[in-house]
Amino acid sequence: MNLTPFQGFLAALADSSFSAAFYLAAGYQLVVLGLGCFRGVRPTKWYALAAVVSHLLLSMFLLIGFYYATRPVA
């Protein structure tokens, strides 16, 4: 069975022990995105910090997922 790199990445995320953390990070990013829809929230400093953390979480989890996706099969 041949998987595309994206399918392998998704399979590694699903099979890793970090799946709960991925769901929490996705929920956090959805909350930040939802709060960004309000005009009064966007210019605040705490929202800017929350958005930066959200972007860094995505990068961190992409790196973790890439690590698991490129591990050799036992």
Side-chain angles (χ1 to χ4, degrees):
M1 177 167 86
N2 292 331
L3 294 176
T4 65
F6 182 67
Q7 289 172 332
F9 173 73
L10 292 178
L13 291 183
D15 291 340
S16 72
S17 61
F18 296 110
S19 62
F22 284 107
Y23 289 123
L24 287 174
Y28 174 75
Q29 290 177 341
L30 287 174
V31 168
V32 170
L33 178 68
L35 287 173
C37 293
F38 300 104
R39 289 182 188 217
V41 174
R42 277 182 277 174
T44 60
K45 289 184 180 185
W46 66 267
Y47 179 75
L49 179 64
V52 166
V53 169
S54 176
H55 293 309
L56 291 176
L57 272 175
L58 179 64
S59 300
M60 181 185 69
F61 281 123
L62 283 172
L63 288 174
I64 291 170
F66 180 75
Y67 168 75
Y68 277 103
T70 57
R71 288 178 58 190
V73 177

